Amino acid sequence: MTIAARMQASETHIFKAIFPDSTNHYDTMFGGTAMYLMDEVAFITATRFTRKKVVTVSSDRIDFTKPIPAGTIIELIGQVIKVGNTSMKVKVDIFVEEMYSDSRELAISGTFTFVAIDDQKRPVSVL
């Protein structure tokens, strides 16, 4: 399989309903909760791409452009956007949807870097 085909095949989509237990005093999703979910989706995406053990080594800029209120649905989309020898970058976007309308907007976007490792936690090729 080509790298481009692997990148496409590893794209990951996860949907979640936002309930009050994951929101702050403004009734919007905690930023830390969003980052946790983004790292989880990035991890799944990276693992699906390489099918090896991976660890997060950094998160790049994360842009919070829209609040995510309680009572909405979010879709997290993870995509491998760059492949190196032992590392890869995964972009994660969070879209927010109102439950009872067709409204859908990009709310948060960020990138995460992962390194593939062996059983001794040493970097190995992602391919």
Side-chain angles (χ1 to χ4, degrees):
M1 185 182 300
T2 66
I3 291 175
R6 286 176 81 149
M7 291 168 86
Q8 185 175 9
S10 65
E11 183 173 293
T12 302
H13 296 253
I14 294 179
F15 290 86
K16 297 247 182 217
I18 304 306
F19 296 110
D21 66 339
S22 62
T23 63
N24 59 29
H25 58 289
Y26 298 114
D27 205 28
T28 59
M29 180 183 245
F30 284 112
T33 301
M35 291 169 60
Y36 166 81
L37 292 171
M38 292 173 80
D39 187 39
E40 182 177 14
V41 168
F43 169 79
I44 293 167
T45 304
T47 301
R48 292 180 71 212
F49 175 84
T50 192
R51 296 297 177 180
K52 296 181 180 178
K53 295 177 183 178
V54 296
V55 292
T56 308
V57 294
S58 70
S59 61
D60 296 339
R61 178 182 176 129
I62 297 177
D63 294 314
F64 296 82
T65 55
K66 293 273 184 196
I68 299 175
T72 57
I73 298 167
I74 60 170
E75 179 182 16
L76 297 100
I77 302 173
Q79 300 173 300
V80 174
I81 58 169
K82 184 177 179 185
V83 178
N85 181 34
T86 61
S87 67
M88 70 200 92
K89 284 196 176 279
V90 178
K91 179 181 180 194
V92 178
D93 292 325
I94 300 180
F95 291 88
V96 61
E97 300 179 6
E98 293 180 15
M99 285 196 187
Y100 308 110
S101 78
D102 292 330
S103 173
R104 176 181 166 92
E105 294 182 278
L106 178 63
I108 304 171
S109 186
T111 55
F112 298 79
T113 302
F114 287 82
V115 169
I117 58 169
D118 63 16
D119 290 336
Q120 288 72 46
K121 300 182 175 56
R122 292 183 303 238
V124 296
S125 173
V126 297
L127 298 174

